[in-house]
Amino acid sequence: MIIITREELMPLFPKNFFLTTDDKRFSGDGPLAGIYTGMNNINADQYVVLPCDMPFITRNE
């Protein structure tokens, strides 16, 4: 799991998560900047991207 957030919000998250901020080239450019950053930080075959305004999503949704 990776959380992409603003620098000033990083202290609010538990330290056991992989936290980062947007790639500097795209900082502040919205959700796609965060998705790009996440995909460049973690190499995977598939990604699940969830917005911060859906905190209680379940496997059934």
Side-chain angles (χ1 to χ4, degrees), residues 3-6 9-17 19 52:
I3 297 174
I4 298 98
T5 187
R6 294 189 315 248
L9 297 179
M10 289 184 82
L12 301 177
F13 292 96
K15 302 300 180 222
N16 59 331
F17 289 108
L19 299 171
C52 62

Side-chain angles (χ1 to χ4, degrees), residues 3-4 6 10-12 19 21-22 25 27 31 53 55 58-59:
I3 297 174
I4 298 98
R6 294 189 315 248
M10 289 184 82
L12 301 177
L19 299 171
T21 57
D22 284 337
R25 297 173 292 172
S27 183
D53 59 355
T58 66
R59 290 177 182 248

Side-chain angles (χ1 to χ4, degrees), residues 7-60:
E7 187 73 36
E8 65 270 16
L9 297 179
M10 289 184 82
L12 301 177
F13 292 96
K15 302 300 180 222
N16 59 331
F17 289 108
F18 179 19
L19 299 171
T20 190
T21 57
D22 284 337
D23 182 294
K24 298 285 186 218
R25 297 173 292 172
F26 306 109
S27 183
D29 283 346
L32 288 179
I35 294 168
Y36 174 84
T37 300
M39 292 176 77
N40 275 328
N41 278 280
I42 295 180
N43 186 21
D45 292 329
Q46 297 179 347
Y47 299 90
V48 175
V49 178
L50 301 174
C52 62
D53 59 355
M54 294 182 67
F56 302 111
I57 195 159
T58 66
R59 290 177 182 248
N60 298 328

